[in-house]
Amino acid sequence: MDPGLADLVAAETVLSHTDGARGQIWVRGRTLEDLAGSGDYEHAIATLWEGFVGDHLTADRIRADLAAGRAQAFARLDTWLEAAASRSLGEGLRVALAALPDDSPPAAIAAAFPVAIAALLRRARGAAPLAPDPALGSAADLLRMIAGAPAAPAAVAALDAYFITVIDNGLSASSFAARIIASTRAPLAAAIGGAYAAFTGPLHGGAPGLVLDMLDEIAASRDIDGWIARKLDAGERLMGFGHRVFRVRDPRADILRGALAKLGPDAGRLAFAAEVERRVLAALAARKPGRTLQTNVELNAAMLLEAVGLPREAFTPVFALARSPGWLAHALEQRKTGRMIRPQSRYVGPAP
């Protein structure tokens, strides 16, 4: 029995495949690198949702459906925004998802994320929510609704690349949660609410923000090598390095590194992060010769989200926004099996 279910096959899927030993991710028969090369998040969603939301889906169709969904979500802000105003952004998004009607279709559920995130951030600054622009894609409209002005094309392209890169990653804890809930024939909105709840933990979607906390601590120490040595001597984990699944390279880290390069060397604290990365990898190689431990997606994701102007408290909600089409695809695929997920447990308590 493995409490982490690491070697248990719990689903058959056509959605995505993660090969940690080779450092590969496939999405609907395409490598993640190929999918990210399109530079269009809506195209990636159409690829993932093909056959589940409709047939012969196109990026234009998905873009129109999401735009309509954002308009609907904005029209419903008064049903939950006041109740969420005193909460943190992550908690507020949970309230917004809980307010979704049971009959919400996939595009309306996915579209609720950017509208809620932007409205909550603006409300926290004392600004009124900004209505969505149906002419824009998801990344561009999110940044515009938050800032109140159109985002720079480079920032939009970087966020689009991020959205595509993290759209799905096999049977993660949150995707499994979505499948379990959907298998009971609960509404899709409930399945995505449950997936988001699983996602908010620091071992899952909460990790990127912790990377910036680490970089803050390193910068304050004024001694990169000394800080690294103290952490390794204490046996502590360094955020952004190593992965439970990927034993060699994390392909997502490579894709985001390329997206960061297009933002330029002066974007955020990229130069400092790159130096920390170089020294951490050198220290790990020196301590454990022959063992390969590489940068994972968290480090570059945190750098990218900061570089495009998102506040740290938005990292996990925006990560969830990007992943929500994947959760919806897993829930819809699970529904097609017609079976409720009901694993067994082994009783190890006292006998009566």
Side-chain angles (χ1 to χ4, degrees), residues 41-54:
Y41 179 53
E42 284 74 17
H43 171 71
I45 296 174
T47 301
L48 199 61
W49 284 2
E50 176 66 28
F52 295 103
V53 174

Side-chain angles (χ1 to χ4, degrees), residues 228 241 276-286 293-295:
I228 294 169
F241 299 92
V276 169
E277 179 181 15
R278 185 185 69 80
R279 296 198 195 188
V280 167
L281 293 177
L284 292 170
L293 190 63
Q294 297 294 333
T295 310

